[in-house]
């Protein structure tokens, strides 16, 4: 496969952009090899600057639900752009997007639009702290909530530990109030409440984890966390930046029957343009400035292009009631086909799917937390990733990421991927 132009661009890019990329995982650091510079995309495929076309399972990390360059979304953005790109004053489209989110997600009564998932989650936690008058938060090891200081905490040793900075540049005090607990371990959450009575403002979690690979919550876990929050006067912040409008029209909350106090969104609600949102109970959201005392603002928040794309994406969801069942059944065909092929070859491979989100681990058993996810065979994943890339299939360039499927991935596309996947498994062994 000729990747000479991508290679040449990366050489130039590394001189002016750190690592050549504007978000780290794009650099192929954990799988090695040449990151592809994408020139264009359409439907289920992306095409790189050397003219190689790949069936795309990254889908802008889940943001692209209806397929790349969907005509309705492109039209909406073009029309909006022709009317002006930003005003710094309210627009009707912001109201319409907020109304649609409220109508779809049962726990949401009010919405504040921002420009990224990072901003949404950072702001939701500020609100949770402001509303409860408490400082501590609980986050789960392996869940990603964007790059706000307080959320870049790594787990220390022990079951539920006070966070230590997970990166250079975060001062210890910024994560001193962040308690890190393992995923799927209700006992750890209950102990955190016992150890810090009356101090925990919120538990924040990914309802289906997608940032340590695809990991689903075990039965009763989310209900247990909800009950522990209620018993201790803490808020439950469900980060649906990835799962919102991705696993169901009402988000993971609808699929799993859990109710957040505050919910964060991103990705699909901008369908590839920069949008995030935090949302939830009216009594809480009313405490955000200017109606309340929790300050948060944004020059480009509710940007007309981004809200136009988001509205068009949500309209397409509403017009297609069978969408999520169809996405999930196709994702399951993929997961089942690949795990069957691996079993015949004696390769341990497990996987799962929820709506348009899915994932694989080279492991004997489906991991339930980050520690187990890190024991999967990530070197084999890297070889599988490259074998598939050579076959024209683009999976996430890391075994710690979920995969995505769009409405444009039709049965032929899935068959083609399965054929490629079987050959790739044979090759990597
Ligand atoms: C992607 C993601 C974020 C961060 O969103 P950005 O738009 O990249 O800032 C936060 N939480 C979850 C669960 C995510 O998947």
């Amino acid at each position: 496969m000729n990747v000479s132009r991508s290679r040449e661009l990366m050489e130039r890019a590394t001189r002016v952009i750190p690592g050549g990329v504007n978000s780290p995982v794009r650099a192929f650091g954990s799988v090695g090899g040449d990151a592809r510079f994408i020139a264009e995309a359409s439907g289920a495929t992306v095409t790189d600057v050397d003219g190689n076309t790949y069936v795309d399972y990254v889908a802008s990390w889940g943001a692209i639900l209806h397929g790349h360059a969907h005509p309705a979304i492109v039209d909406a953005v073009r029309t909006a752009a022709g009317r002006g790109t930003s005003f710094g004053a309210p627009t009707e489209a912001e109201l319409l997007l907020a109304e649609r989110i409220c109508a779809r997600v049962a726990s949401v009564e009010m919405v504040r639009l921002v420009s990224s998932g990072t901003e949404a989650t950072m702001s939701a936690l500020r609100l949770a702290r402001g509303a409860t008058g408490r400082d501590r938060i609980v986050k789960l090891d392996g869940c990603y909530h964007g790059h706000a200081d307080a959320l870049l905490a790594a787990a220390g040793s022990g079951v539920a530990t006070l966070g230590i900075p997970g990166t250079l540049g975060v001062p210890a005090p910024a994560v001193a109030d962040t308690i890190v607990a393992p995923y799927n371990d209700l006992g750890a959450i209950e102990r955190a409440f016992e150890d810090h009575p009356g101090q925990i403002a919120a538990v924040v979690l990914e309802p289906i984890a997608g940032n340590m690979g695809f990991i689903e919550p075990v039965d009763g876990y989310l209900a247990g966390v909800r009950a522990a929050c209620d018993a201790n006067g803490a808020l439950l912040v469900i980060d649906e930046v990835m799962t919102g409008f991705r696993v169901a029209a009402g988000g993971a909350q609808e699929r799993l029957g859990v109710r957040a106090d505050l919910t964060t969104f991103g990705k699909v609600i901008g369908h590839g343009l920069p949008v995030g949102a935090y949302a939830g109970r009216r009594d809480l959201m009313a405490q955000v400035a200017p109606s309340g005392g929790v300050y948060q603002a944004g020059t480009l928040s509710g940007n007309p292009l981004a809200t136009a794309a988001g509205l068009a994406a949500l309209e397409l969801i509403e017009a297609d009631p069978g969408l999520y069942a169809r996405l999930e059944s196709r994702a399951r065909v993929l997961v089942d086909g690949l795990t069957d092929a691996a079993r015949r070859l004696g390769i341990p491979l497990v996987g799962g799917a929820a709506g348009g989100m899915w994932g694989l681990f080279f492991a004997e058993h489906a991991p339930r937390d980050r520690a187990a996810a890190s024991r999967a065979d990530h070197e084999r994943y890297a070889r599988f990733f490259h074998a598939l890339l050579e076959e024209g299939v683009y999976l996430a360039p890391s075994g710690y990421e979920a995969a995505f499927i769009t409405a444009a991935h039709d049965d032929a596309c899935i068959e083609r991927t399965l054929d490629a996947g079987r050959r790739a498994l044979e090759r990597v062994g």
Side-chain angles (χ1 to χ4, degrees):
M1 181 174 277
N2 175 23
V3 295
S4 55
R5 178 104 178 107
S6 276
R7 199 171 287 166
E8 184 188 314
L9 292 179
M10 185 55 93
E11 269 169 30
R12 275 172 57 197
T14 48
R15 275 178 242 138
V16 290
I17 301 172
V21 293
N22 284 310
S23 198
V25 72
R26 297 179 195 171
F28 280 23
S30 71
V31 292
D34 294 297
R36 304 316 198 245
F37 278 64
I38 303 303
E40 59 182 309
S42 172
T45 62
V46 293
T47 301
D48 70 18
V49 289
D50 291 289
N52 306 301
T53 294
Y54 310 87
V55 181
D56 178 27
Y57 292 98
V58 174
S60 189
W61 303 103
I64 306 299
L65 180 69
H66 301 293
H68 290 287
H70 188 288
I73 292 171
V74 173
D75 277 355
V77 173
R78 271 205 185 108
T79 303
R83 292 179 179 154
T85 49
S86 184
F87 317 117
T91 60
E92 187 174 358
E94 293 164 77
L95 156 70
L96 296 176
L97 186 55
E99 282 179 345
R100 273 208 151 75
I101 296 170
C102 291
R104 287 289 142 204
V105 183
S107 66
V108 170
E109 295 173 315
M110 293 184 94
V111 179
R112 168 56 64 83
L113 296 176
V114 294
S115 297
S116 71
T118 293
E119 215 187 326
T121 311
M122 178 186 80
S123 307
L125 288 172
R126 181 180 304 147
L127 173 56
R129 285 166 156 166
T132 58
R134 300 174 176 185
D135 288 342
R136 293 199 198 272
I137 54 169
V138 177
K139 86 169 284 287
L140 306 183
D141 190 13
C143 287
Y144 178 68
H145 305 292
H147 62 86
D149 280 1
L151 293 167
L152 288 179
S157 55
V159 184
T161 53
L162 290 181
I164 51 172
T167 168
L168 293 176
V170 171
V175 293
D177 287 321
T178 305
I179 299 160
V180 184
Y183 202 73
N184 272 328
D185 182 348
L186 184 56
I189 301 281
E190 287 166 345
R191 274 191 298 283
F193 279 117
E194 279 162 28
D195 291 348
H196 308 280
Q199 297 173 36
I200 294 172
V203 176
V204 57
L205 52 79
E206 286 181 70
I208 298 171
N211 288 288
M212 51 177 156
F214 174 85
I215 298 184
E216 291 177 275
V218 297
D219 281 348
Y221 176 65
L222 294 177
V225 176
R226 173 74 271 179
C229 287
D230 290 342
N232 292 281
L235 301 178
L236 177 57
V237 179
I238 300 191
D239 182 348
E240 298 233 35
V241 170
M242 186 179 284
T243 54
F245 299 95
R246 173 45 72 184
V247 303
Q253 292 176 60
E254 175 182 70
R255 182 183 169 95
L256 300 170
V258 60
R259 201 180 173 90
D261 299 298
L262 293 172
T263 302
T264 56
F265 298 97
K267 298 192 170 107
V268 173
I269 66 159
H271 210 273
L273 279 89
V275 193
Y278 61 109
R281 279 167 37 194
R282 183 179 308 283
D283 62 308
L284 295 172
M285 293 303 296
Q287 298 182 46
V288 176
S291 55
V294 178
Y295 189 73
Q296 183 271 314
T299 301
L300 297 181
S301 293
N303 172 267
L305 273 60
T307 47
L311 265 177
L314 299 199
E315 276 165 19
L316 288 169
I317 290 169
E318 283 164 26
D320 185 0
L323 173 64
Y324 294 98
R326 203 165 68 243
L327 290 172
E328 182 163 329
S329 76
R330 286 184 181 145
R332 284 197 186 280
V333 169
L334 261 181
V335 169
D336 293 347
L338 292 172
T339 52
D340 281 354
R343 191 174 319 113
R344 278 195 296 276
L345 293 163
I347 300 170
L349 182 67
V350 292
M357 187 176 166
W358 61 282
L360 298 169
F361 282 104
F362 284 100
E364 298 283 351
H365 305 288
R368 290 168 45 152
D369 59 21
R370 192 202 48 81
S374 65
R375 288 192 297 270
D377 188 344
H378 291 276
E379 277 174 27
R380 190 179 247 151
Y381 181 89
R383 295 201 303 275
F384 180 62
F385 165 82
H386 278 294
L388 271 179
L389 204 59
E390 287 292 317
E391 294 270 0
V393 174
Y394 195 125
L395 280 187
S398 162
Y400 291 100
E401 302 287 351
F404 302 94
I405 193 170
T406 78
H409 288 71
D410 59 12
D411 291 334
C413 202
I414 301 295
E415 263 322 300
R416 188 177 143 204
T417 305
L418 272 179
D419 287 341
R422 291 188 192 103
R423 283 192 297 271
L425 284 168
E426 272 170 32
R427 196 135 25 102
V428 302

